[in-house]
Amino acid sequence: MQLFLALCFLLGIPSGAPEIHSLKYFYTAASNVPNFPEFVVVGLVDDYTILHYDSNTRRAVPKQDWMNKITEEDPSYWERQTQIDFGDQQTFKGNIEIVKQRLNQTGGLHIVQWMYGCEWDDETDEVNGFDQYGFDGEDFLVYDLKTETWIAPVQQAVRTKHKWDNDKVEMTRYKHYYTTECPDWLKKYVEFGRSSLMRKDLPSVSLLQKTPSSPLTCHATGFYPDRADLFWKKDEEELHEDVVKGEILPNHDGSFQMSVDLDLSGLKDEDWGRYSCVFHLAGGQEVSKRLDKRDIRTNWKTNDGGFPTGAAAGGVVAALLLLTGCIMGLIVCLKKPPQGFRATNTFETSSSSGEDPAEKKMLKTSS
């Protein structure tokens, strides 16, 4: 799987079933990228951001209230994490230059990424680990836990692959980390945030239309978490044409909202009952609303100055909710930095030894 160039993909809907928990760490080192920190650490539990560090703030901070529980056991935890992340910032700054030289791409914009973590099935207790490096969105090195070897997708990484494969001591450490240490930390974090991680709220779903010629909006609000989908379907087939899907936006109470528009211009009256709007929450729960003219809320006026059938006031309120959500979403996007967490991982480098830092393995130890 290729690594993406930006951290936005972290907000996507996870593919695993709800009983599969995951702990993921993302490191991004950027070279000559405007308006983006040169180094960012992001970590997630079940795709919820739990800690963030970047080279602008130089502070490791929790991004979920329940992550503060860790200081009850270790009061100096966050300060120590800050120092570790700052050290990794210096290491990655050197490593990105080395990878650029190896690939003969010393100029322009470049990004080096490292992603690792583990998964745990809380029903079967099965665990799995993953670890990979990428350069400019392409895989550079990938760890295979089953064979306990590194895979080099590009020729320039073969040299490092052989060196890391031949270090049997470190390969043993890798296996222990991904089969024992990482899952242990994941289980601890899941316990810390159980009330939030296990929360499932279904939304209220409304049909909204500004004017008779406007697209019909299916609006879902009040759902949690944000790992959800909203779509139109005809009979039992999901529609992709004549459909415009909006982004998931936050509500003031911590829940979320989203909408999807359907172009009604080509819809025949006798086909209305064949269409429905479906909300799907991660884990399989659904809310379906069949298309019915009587359920459409609108605020357009009839020729006599009154409102047509439907909840006019509800339409106005819903429109205001949409506007408020858009404003809140814009504020969040403008103010919210990339977020994350990290386990204690460092490159062993020595500028005085003449050794290539890119050929050094990560040392993984518990945080």
Side-chain angles (χ1 to χ4, degrees):
M1 182 192 308
Q2 293 184 347
L3 292 171
F4 292 93
L5 290 176
L7 297 176
C8 296
F9 76 100
L10 298 178
L11 301 178
I13 299 174
S15 59
E19 68 271 9
I20 305 296
H21 300 286
S22 64
L23 176 59
K24 304 173 185 175
Y25 302 112
F26 295 82
Y27 290 59
T28 301
S31 176
N32 300 319
V33 178
N35 304 317
F36 192 81
E38 67 176 15
F39 183 68
V40 178
V41 179
V42 175
L44 306 97
V45 169
D46 292 354
D47 290 331
Y48 289 88
T49 305
I50 59 174
L51 181 147
H52 168 252
Y53 173 93
D54 65 51
S55 53
N56 292 339
T57 63
R58 297 187 177 183
R59 295 292 304 174
V61 294
K63 303 305 293 186
Q64 301 290 338
D65 290 340
W66 44 266
M67 276 302 294
N68 285 305
K69 294 179 180 180
I70 201 168
T71 57
E72 298 176 3
E73 302 176 1
D74 185 355
S76 62
Y77 178 86
W78 295 108
E79 182 61 35
R80 189 172 66 255
Q81 288 301 127
T82 294
Q83 296 303 318
I84 294 171
D85 289 343
F86 179 74
D88 287 342
Q89 174 184 329
Q90 307 307 312
T91 298
F92 268 73
K93 187 175 182 180
N95 286 341
I96 193 172
E97 296 302 322
I98 291 170
V99 176
K100 285 162 57 178
Q101 292 174 13
R102 282 201 187 178
L103 299 177
N104 294 320
Q105 298 182 18
T106 55
L109 310 180
H110 297 287
I111 291 181
V112 167
Q113 288 179 296
W114 177 38
M115 183 273 287
Y116 72 93
C118 57
E119 294 178 333
W120 164 57
D121 188 324
D122 65 4
E123 292 185 355
T124 65
D125 210 34
E126 181 180 357
V127 297
N128 185 37
F130 42 86
D131 189 323
Q132 62 190 90
Y133 295 85
F135 179 73
D136 287 351
E138 300 292 334
D139 286 341
F140 188 77
L141 279 166
V142 180
Y143 177 67
D144 188 335
L145 179 60
K146 293 182 179 179
T147 62
E148 298 182 48
T149 59
W150 286 91
I151 299 171
V154 295
Q155 183 62 35
Q156 293 87 343
V158 172
R159 174 180 165 188
T160 301
K161 164 196 160 47
H162 289 314
K163 187 170 185 178
W164 289 8
D165 283 349
N166 291 330
D167 191 337
K168 301 305 180 183
V169 174
E170 278 304 300
M171 295 306 288
T172 299
R173 282 172 55 86
Y174 265 61
K175 182 177 181 180
H176 182 264
Y177 178 80
Y178 287 118
T179 58
T180 303
E181 292 184 45
C182 184
D184 285 347
W185 280 101
L186 172 55
K187 294 173 184 178
K188 178 179 291 190
Y189 298 144
V190 168
E191 187 61 33
F192 284 166
R194 183 168 296 278
S195 60
S196 296
L197 297 173
M198 304 304 176
R199 175 184 168 189
K200 303 287 184 181
D201 293 342
L202 293 175
S204 60
V205 179
S206 304
L207 301 179
L208 313 173
Q209 191 176 33
K210 293 180 181 179
T211 70
S213 60
S214 300
L216 180 64
T217 297
C218 177
H219 181 237
T221 186
F223 62 88
Y224 189 95
D226 62 350
R227 296 172 293 174
D229 195 13
L230 185 67
F231 55 91
W232 282 99
K233 70 177 184 179
K234 181 180 180 181
D235 297 327
E236 295 303 318
E237 182 178 354
E238 181 177 348
L239 297 177
H240 299 285
E241 295 183 0
D242 301 323
V243 170
V244 177
K245 185 174 297 188
E247 296 181 356
I248 296 179
L249 302 173
N251 289 323
H252 64 87
D253 61 356
S255 65
F256 298 92
Q257 62 171 291
M258 66 186 305
S259 62
V260 58
D261 293 345
L262 174 65
D263 184 356
L264 298 177
S265 59
L267 185 61
K268 299 179 181 179
D269 288 344
E270 60 267 25
D271 290 337
W272 275 61
R274 301 173 61 188
Y275 288 77
S276 57
C277 177
V278 180
F279 172 86
H280 180 87
L281 190 65
Q285 294 175 291
E286 287 190 349
V287 175
S288 180
K289 191 171 187 65
R290 188 166 295 278
L291 181 54
D292 189 326
K293 291 182 180 181
R294 296 170 296 181
D295 291 334
I296 298 176
R297 297 181 176 184
T298 182
N299 59 357
W300 59 274
K301 294 184 178 181
T302 59
N303 292 332
D304 60 2
F307 288 95
T309 58
V316 174
V317 172
L320 290 175
L321 284 174
L322 282 170
L323 177 60
T324 302
C326 292
I327 295 174
M328 291 178 62
L330 178 61
I331 293 174
V332 170
C333 290
L334 292 175
K335 298 180 66 177
K336 183 179 180 182
Q339 302 173 340
F341 182 78
R342 72 174 252 89
T344 308
N345 300 278
T346 60
F347 266 114
E348 288 183 303
T349 60
S350 174
S351 58
S352 61
S353 66
E355 293 182 283
D356 186 347
E359 293 184 359
K360 292 289 188 177
K361 283 196 284 295
M362 282 289 181
L363 290 178
K364 298 188 170 51
T365 59
S366 60
S367 298

